[in-house]
Amino acid sequence: MKKIISIAFAFFLTINVTSAKNIKEAYFAGGCFWCMEDSFEKINGIEEVISGYSGGDVENPSYNEVTFGNTGHFEVAKIIYDEEIISYKELLNLYWKNIDPFDATGQFCDKGSSYRSVAFYKNQNEKNEIKKSIINIEKKFKDKKVVTFVKKFKKFYPAEDYHQDYYQKNFINYLLYKKACGRDQIL
């Protein structure tokens, strides 16, 4: 009986150890958060992407306040990922491939302060990775300067429910918006 219990206990430990996840969060602003959600949710190791707002001073801002007001917030994607599968550096590479880091007025057809690009960092390691990646981009595009902000992460506010998974819930409208915006063509 002790042997059966011992085997069962070892099996239980093996299952828990192999299924353990190292869940982290990353925060990126890249214009329309619908597009950021669409780009990241399909990647292996990303558990969830939540549309929201960050970087400003107003608590619990609404979409209208962020877009038409002066809250200081950006449209942000909160990326929940398993670091055992995908690294922060890999997330950064995906981020740069899904934005225009040289546009100081917004992203693609979305212009205005809330649509500018921002790579938020939570610790010195993330800040260093962002800075290194910017240097590499500027080396690759010698005549261009990256204007994406690098900001310390403070607080995230989820966007209204109708913004969450918009690209899935409103697929046709989303495709029309994305095509008209020219995001894919520019990227």
Side-chain angles (χ1 to χ4, degrees):
M1 181 68 163
K2 285 183 181 180
K3 189 172 184 176
I4 293 172
I5 292 172
S6 184
I7 291 170
F9 183 71
F11 179 74
F12 176 75
L13 282 178
T14 303
I15 290 172
N16 282 338
V17 170
T18 59
S19 66
K21 295 181 179 185
N22 189 5
I23 302 299
K24 303 279 186 176
E25 296 174 357
Y27 299 86
F28 299 116
C32 171
F33 46 37
W34 301 339
C35 295
M36 295 295 289
E37 230 183 320
D38 178 21
S39 298
F40 279 93
E41 278 193 340
K42 299 170 184 168
I43 305 301
N44 187 34
I46 295 179
E47 302 285 315
E48 184 178 9
V49 181
I50 301 168
S51 292
Y53 316 108
S54 192
D57 300 320
V58 175
E59 290 200 25
N60 298 311
S62 69
Y63 175 77
N64 285 338
E65 290 172 325
V66 170
T67 304
F68 304 111
N70 192 19
T71 67
H73 288 288
F74 303 89
E75 284 196 14
V76 173
K78 175 181 179 178
I79 300 165
I80 302 167
Y81 66 102
D82 184 346
E83 195 175 42
E84 297 294 322
I85 299 171
I86 188 167
S87 68
Y88 185 79
K89 186 176 181 178
E90 290 170 309
L91 289 177
L92 270 175
N93 289 334
L94 287 167
Y95 174 63
W96 296 124
K97 290 176 183 174
N98 284 285
I99 67 161
D100 179 354
F102 310 114
D103 189 342
T105 62
Q107 290 292 292
F108 312 100
C109 68
D110 294 317
K111 301 299 181 188
S113 60
S114 65
Y115 293 112
R116 292 175 295 172
S117 59
V118 184
F120 291 93
Y121 63 90
K122 292 174 30 183
N123 55 52
Q124 191 61 43
N125 183 52
E126 288 180 358
K127 184 178 183 180
N128 293 341
E129 287 294 336
I130 295 166
K131 295 285 189 179
K132 279 192 269 184
S133 65
I134 289 172
I135 290 168
N136 289 335
I137 291 168
E138 289 179 344
K139 281 181 185 175
K140 188 175 180 180
F141 298 92
K142 294 182 188 327
D143 60 333
K144 294 188 175 188
K145 175 98 173 107
V146 171
V147 295
T148 298
F149 294 108
V150 177
K151 292 184 167 271
K152 176 124 178 86
F153 174 76
K154 293 180 184 169
K155 184 120 174 129
F156 176 82
Y157 300 96
E160 296 81 352
D161 286 343
Y162 70 92
H163 286 298
Q164 306 304 329
D165 298 316
Y166 186 88
Y167 77 98
Q168 292 173 335
K169 295 178 198 170
N170 300 285
F171 184 69
I172 299 299
N173 286 343
Y174 171 70
L175 286 181
L176 291 170
Y177 155 77
K178 194 172 177 185
K179 180 150 182 76
C181 203
R183 192 175 189 113
D184 286 340
Q185 296 85 340
I186 294 168
L187 291 174

